[in-house]
Amino acid sequence: MSRSDIVFPPLDGDVAFPGGMNSSVDPTMLQPGTYCRAWNTINRRGVVSTRPGFRWRADLPAGRRQGFTVFWPLIGMPQLVAVIAGYVHVSSYPYDSFVQLPNIKFDPYKENIFFALTEQAVTLNPDQSNSFVNPRRVLFMQDGDAPPAWYDGSQNGHITGLDKTPQGGPMLWTGSRLWVANRNRILASNILDPFNFTEQFYLGGSDAFYLEDNVTAMTETSALTGSSQMIAFTARSASAFATSNRNRDSWNNTANFQTKVFPDVGCVSSRSLREQFGILWWMSGRGLTNLNYAAQTFISSSMRSADNEMADDKARVDSAPNKVAIGGFENFLLVSVPFGGSDNVHTWVLDNSVLTTLAQTTNPVWSSIWTGFNVSDWAVVNVEGADRIYGLMSDADGNNSVWEGFQGRTDNGQDIEAALELRGYSGGTSQLKRNRFLEASFVDVAHDVNVAMYWRGTNRGRYKRSQLRTFSTGGYPVVNMGMTVTPTTLLAEGGVQSRVLRTQELENAAETDPLSSDGIEEPRSEQLDFSFQHLIRWSGQAGVRQARFFTEAQEPESNTGDAFSAPEVTSYARRNGSASFNPQVLSESSSGTYSADAAYTGTARGMTRTAAGHAVSAVSPEAALKQAKQAAAAQVDHELAELAPKVYGGIS
């Protein structure tokens, strides 16, 4: 019987991936339905697919990005507010340009600007009496040192004077009062009047509430008691205030008006605080947490963080976690972290509805790590009943801009590169195995998708490419069979496709890798191991539904010990598994990426522009060239949109 006639059933695999990502344990210990890591993907129905895209909306001046928020007027559309290098810029719908407010100036070197959206319905008269005024929304801003600033949708300026809004940092509008933190002191405004703080004394005759350390963030929640409370965080703890009690005269008689609720859990900054579906999330000194996990501090000195599954990425987050920015959109929690530096170039994505049905919901899972952008703040607006999320970002050249998330399947016309690293496939045994091939099922494939697949032994070795393929899935026209088609009929393009891809047969593949660990970490070939991992990379719109791993059921092994060990020789290895006796070979080895340059020329309304694009791909040279062309085309479209005459109603 020839070898090709022998039936080898798949040894291991996954029919779907509803368990999400988990890098906190050894890959061989992961349960079926989970994976080790993923980049730029979402997880729906257990299918790991290319993440949604981002669209450029508007440019901003260069300088330090200090804050980003939403101003919601009582009447009219919300506005986006960005603070760059001390200046406040405002954008109205459709958020394609910003204007600078003329009367506000902060310190351009401050790390963070604090915001509070308030509502004024009362004003203080010269004789200290109060008068009702037409209610208006007012956005307050602080940098910790400069006089507080305000903006009401038309007017703006700074506030100075005795018993006016004090200088401070974190702020919160709750209980119809503006609460301002100045270091470890917290002051409350007059009711319905955020501009005046004439009521001098609080509990016990004190002029403020005090915490044991500087306040880092404040928020409102009803999750603790069922009634509205303010939680004031320091870097190490959190205290709750019964701000739902609006009668200031009774605060002194209210039991536990100020209570320390989390004595061992703090918050690093106000931009890392977000409430989603009634659950409050924030970044503490130990990691990402929420009210459910923080409550464990009452019963245990060891609190489990909510980001343990992101342990591999978390280990390389910069030592300045106060830059972490959290946003929420639909069922996704977006946690942007400073990975490998001071910029938030990685965004962890928690998905709350991988397999949600009408009758039940599953636990949230970490979907992947998103890359390709550097976001300092998130802001969500509601336009005509639909939420839209925007990120304040900068590029490698320091250019600041605002991008809208969850827009199509490309980043401003450029294909997104995604990757999935599978768990260690061992078949549940410690027997020595010989790697043969992996079969992956792709779904939702659209247009041209470049795919590269890699393998390695779980215990040693680097990833080696075992397959390179391009899927070409030209869309087909979708028509109504009852309609009459003419040469001028516009046909909708539709139809995503599926593919099944197997890697090359590796059973008898020659070992030609100059960076192989053979003879360094083990005397055996890298094709022999107890378990194997696989990495799938692709550029474009696609998703991985399932994977099957084929191998020999068992590889013959020696039944004797090693009677003699050769003398140790100095060897070298990289973190990615590359190994050599010669460090020069490692230093000169390829980075595993491909770069390309391309040009594109476009014409619109009588104007022509040409632009050059550059792209780097981890998939293939073809993917790099495709993305470079797309980048050039996006730049041309951007320039033409800025320069070409606008067209309204067919009249230019």
Side-chain angles (χ1 to χ4, degrees):
M1 179 182 293
S2 67
R3 188 168 189 81
S4 61
D5 296 328
I6 302 176
V7 177
F8 294 103
L11 180 73
D12 207 340
D14 291 287
V15 296
F17 305 95
M21 171 178 164
N22 188 349
S23 64
S24 66
V25 298
D26 188 272
T28 59
M29 296 178 63
L30 292 177
Q31 296 298 311
T34 60
Y35 44 91
C36 187
R37 300 173 188 85
W39 295 266
N40 289 327
T41 64
I42 59 173
N43 193 325
R44 278 291 182 267
R45 311 178 311 280
V47 176
V48 180
S49 303
T50 310
R51 67 163 168 84
F54 284 74
R55 288 289 182 273
W56 171 89
R57 289 306 181 211
D59 287 327
L60 281 162
R64 184 186 294 272
R65 295 166 292 159
Q66 297 173 293
F68 190 49
T69 191
V70 180
F71 172 70
W72 300 78
L74 290 176
I75 300 175
M77 301 283 282
Q79 296 178 317
L80 295 177
V81 179
V83 184
I84 306 293
Y87 292 100
V88 180
H89 305 267
V90 177
S91 179
S92 299
Y93 183 79
Y95 314 120
D96 56 0
S97 62
F98 280 80
V99 296
Q100 180 183 315
L101 298 184
N103 303 320
I104 300 177
K105 178 67 171 70
F106 290 112
D107 184 340
Y109 300 104
K110 284 291 183 179
E111 191 70 37
N112 192 26
I113 299 296
F114 302 94
F115 302 97
L117 186 60
T118 71
E119 187 170 332
Q120 184 189 24
V122 171
T123 189
L124 187 68
N125 299 318
D127 62 359
Q128 301 301 300
S129 64
N130 292 316
S131 298
F132 286 99
V133 296
N134 290 329
R136 62 167 177 164
R137 288 271 173 82
V138 184
L139 180 67
F140 280 75
M141 295 164 271
Q142 300 258 23
D143 71 357
D145 291 326
W150 61 278
Y151 170 65
D152 67 357
S154 59
Q155 299 178 314
N156 63 93
H158 285 278
I159 304 168
T160 57
L162 184 65
D163 296 333
K164 297 296 184 181
T165 308
Q167 295 176 349
M171 298 177 290
L172 182 69
W173 177 256
T174 178
S176 298
R177 299 179 190 275
L178 176 62
W179 299 73
V180 178
N182 188 320
R183 295 181 172 84
N184 70 323
R185 302 166 62 241
I186 300 178
L187 302 92
S189 74
N190 298 357
I191 194 165
L192 292 173
D193 184 4
F195 287 92
N196 291 289
F197 285 64
T198 59
E199 299 171 357
Q200 295 285 325
F201 299 104
Y202 305 154
L203 296 180
S206 174
D207 63 349
F209 297 102
Y210 289 85
L211 301 182
E212 75 280 3
D213 205 346
N214 293 344
V215 177
T216 56
M218 298 196 298
T219 190
E220 181 182 35
T221 184
S222 59
L224 290 174
T225 63
S227 59
S228 178
Q229 287 184 299
M230 176 179 74
I231 298 183
F233 289 92
T234 70
R236 297 177 295 174
S237 64
S239 298
F241 295 80
T243 53
S244 57
N245 182 355
R246 302 188 180 189
N247 183 4
R248 193 180 214 130
D249 293 336
S250 68
W251 289 356
N252 195 40
N253 301 318
T254 300
N256 299 320
F257 184 86
Q258 177 182 351
T259 308
K260 183 175 288 188
V261 289
F262 304 132
D264 198 30
V265 184
C267 179
V268 296
S269 72
S270 59
R271 56 166 49 114
S272 71
L273 193 62
R274 179 75 57 174
E275 186 169 25
Q276 186 183 44
F277 305 128
I279 298 179
L280 188 66
W281 295 85
W282 69 92
M283 183 63 72
S284 72
R286 304 179 186 182
L288 184 70
T289 189
N290 59 36
L291 281 179
N292 296 334
Y293 288 128
Q296 296 177 11
T297 58
F298 289 121
I299 58 176
S300 171
S301 60
S302 179
M303 186 192 75
R304 178 183 181 271
S305 298
D307 58 1
N308 284 347
E309 290 80 1
M310 312 300 288
D312 184 71
D313 209 67
K314 184 178 176 181
R316 291 189 288 278
V317 168
D318 186 72
S319 58
N322 60 308
K323 292 189 176 182
V324 171
I326 298 181
F329 184 75
E330 295 179 347
N331 294 303
F332 298 96
L333 187 76
L334 309 176
V335 184
S336 299
V337 300
F339 179 84
S342 59
D343 292 328
N344 293 344
V345 295
H346 278 195
T347 295
W348 304 343
V349 181
L350 185 72
D351 194 337
N352 287 281
S353 63
V354 171
L355 292 177
T356 298
T357 65
L358 185 62
Q360 63 180 7
T361 58
T362 56
N363 292 329
V365 302
W366 288 104
S367 175
S368 73
I369 300 165
W370 289 6
T371 64
F373 50 84
N374 165 19
V375 59
S376 62
D377 292 273
W378 296 99
V380 177
V381 302
N382 188 279
V383 178
E384 296 179 346
D387 284 345
R388 304 172 73 161
I389 187 168
Y390 296 86
L392 178 59
M393 305 185 185
S394 70
D395 60 21
D397 297 324
N399 301 311
N400 296 320
S401 57
V402 170
W403 291 61
E404 183 176 358
F406 293 81
Q407 295 292 301
R409 287 290 186 175
T410 66
D411 283 344
N412 219 39
Q414 187 171 356
D415 278 354
I416 300 166
E417 285 205 356
L420 172 65
E421 186 179 26
L422 301 173
R423 62 184 175 90
Y425 287 151
S426 68
T429 73
S430 61
Q431 295 174 337
L432 194 63
K433 305 168 185 67
R434 181 178 294 274
N435 179 28
R436 293 192 65 207
F437 61 87
L438 180 80
E439 178 186 277
S441 298
F442 292 84
V443 295
D444 300 331
V445 180
H447 306 293
D448 292 337
V449 178
N450 305 97
V451 180
M453 299 172 68
Y454 305 80
W455 70 275
R456 73 176 180 189
T458 303
N459 294 306
R460 62 190 176 93
R462 67 169 181 164
Y463 274 117
K464 295 165 280 294
R465 192 165 69 188
S466 55
Q467 184 60 273
L468 183 64
R469 184 73 61 85
T470 297
F471 299 149
S472 296
T473 61
Y476 57 85
V478 178
V479 300
N480 183 338
M481 298 306 295
M483 68 183 296
T484 301
V485 179
T486 68
T488 59
T489 300
L490 296 178
L491 302 180
E493 192 176 86
V496 293
Q497 300 179 22
S498 61
R499 293 286 193 276
V500 175
L501 180 61
R502 286 188 173 187
T503 62
Q504 297 172 359
E505 175 72 58
L506 298 174
E507 175 195 353
N508 296 312
E511 288 287 359
T512 58
D513 184 6
L515 302 178
S516 172
S517 65
D518 292 2
I520 297 178
E521 296 185 77
E522 278 192 31
R524 289 188 292 259
S525 164
E526 288 187 350
Q527 296 174 27
L528 297 174
D529 210 324
F530 306 110
S531 59
F532 292 88
Q533 276 189 277
H534 299 83
L535 175 65
I536 305 172
R537 294 185 180 274
W538 66 94
S539 172
Q541 180 183 338
V544 180
R545 170 178 285 167
Q546 63 182 35
R548 299 197 299 166
F549 176 52
F550 291 77
T551 183
E552 305 287 348
Q554 181 178 0
E555 185 72 16
E557 298 190 54
S558 172
N559 61 356
T560 63
D562 189 358
F564 173 77
S565 297
E568 284 287 339
V569 179
T570 302
S571 59
Y572 305 88
R574 280 181 172 176
R575 190 176 185 274
N576 67 356
S578 304
S580 176
F581 291 110
N582 184 355
Q584 185 71 20
V585 173
L586 288 177
S587 64
E588 295 176 353
S589 61
S590 171
S591 63
T593 60
Y594 310 91
S595 62
D597 296 282
Y600 178 83
T601 301
T603 301
R605 295 190 287 280
M607 303 189 69
T608 299
R609 286 292 182 271
T610 299
H614 177 77
V616 177
S617 170
V619 176
S620 65
E622 294 79 10
L625 181 59
K626 176 184 65 173
Q627 293 177 44
K629 293 178 180 178
Q630 293 169 337
Q635 179 63 30
V636 167
D637 291 342
H638 174 53
E639 293 181 9
L640 291 176
E642 290 291 312
L643 300 175
K646 301 295 187 293
V647 177
Y648 300 98
I651 303 176
S652 60

